[in-house]
């Protein structure tokens, strides 16, 4: 593997925000080399982000019978990045009726991921 295949990312685990370079070790396929980190947690984050990047997704859905027209929602845990756009399409189709309590499951098992979309606030 050449240097051009190394990936740059910023560690978001603490305010230092170390700039990391992650690449596969040519002599050990599947093993990652991480440069620019200052701690073990940063290395774990870099490896996870390289192999399976995930994000907490936040959005809103239409809500009827409530003081506001849209209810803030989020994923119950981090979603693989590749599912973000299909997830947004699913979320955009949802309309619910209030009242709703914070933590209520709005979409169960989003796209078969095992991750739910839940209400971020009561409304
Ligand atoms: S690598 Fe360690 S020190 Fe650097 S930003 Fe991440 S958590 Fe902080």
């Amino acid at each position: 593997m050449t240097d051009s295949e190394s990936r740059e990312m910023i560690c978001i685990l603490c305010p230092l925000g170390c700039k990391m370079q992650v690449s596969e070790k040519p002599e050990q396929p599947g093993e990652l080399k991480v440069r620019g980190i200052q701690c073990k947690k940063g290395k774990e984050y870099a490896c996870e982000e390289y192999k399976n990047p995930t994000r907490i997704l936040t959005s809103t859905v239409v809500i009827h019978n409530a003081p506001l027209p849209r209810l803030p929602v989020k994923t119950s845990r981090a979603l693989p990045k590749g599912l973000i756009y299909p997830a947004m399409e699913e979320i955009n189709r949802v309309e619910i009726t209030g009242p709703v309590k914070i933590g209520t499951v709005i979409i169960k098992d989003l796209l078969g991921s095992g991750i739910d979309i839940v209400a971020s606030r009561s409304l």
Side-chain angles (χ1 to χ4, degrees):
M1 181 165 283
T2 64
D3 268 7
S4 63
E5 291 170 83
S6 94
R7 206 178 297 165
E8 291 208 340
M9 49 184 98
I10 304 286
C11 181
I12 59 168
L13 296 183
C14 89
L16 283 181
C18 293
K19 194 172 174 184
M20 313 179 291
Q21 297 88 38
V22 188
S23 57
E24 287 193 37
K25 293 181 181 173
E27 66 281 10
Q28 291 171 281
E31 286 292 311
L32 297 178
K33 182 166 89 180
V34 183
R35 285 176 293 177
I37 50 165
Q38 294 190 41
C39 71
K40 192 176 159 206
K41 278 179 111 178
K43 183 173 185 181
E44 288 167 3
Y45 170 75
C47 293
E48 193 56 39
E49 186 65 13
Y50 186 91
K51 291 177 186 166
N52 181 30
T54 59
R55 294 290 180 275
I56 293 284
L57 174 62
T58 61
S59 186
T60 60
V61 298
V62 171
I63 184 168
H64 302 285
N65 191 38
L68 295 173
R70 299 193 72 93
L71 171 74
V73 295
K74 64 175 186 163
T75 50
S76 55
R77 56 192 164 85
L79 190 68
K81 261 177 105 177
L83 289 181
I84 298 282
Y85 286 108
M88 284 305 301
E89 287 176 5
E90 284 290 304
I91 291 168
N92 286 339
R93 279 196 276 270
V94 170
E95 292 190 19
I96 59 168
T97 302
V100 171
K101 283 194 171 171
I102 186 170
T104 299
V105 174
I106 306 299
I107 305 175
K108 180 94 184 140
D109 190 20
L110 177 70
L111 302 167
S113 64
I115 298 168
D116 299 333
I117 294 291
V118 298
S120 310
R121 63 167 285 183
S122 299
L123 197 61

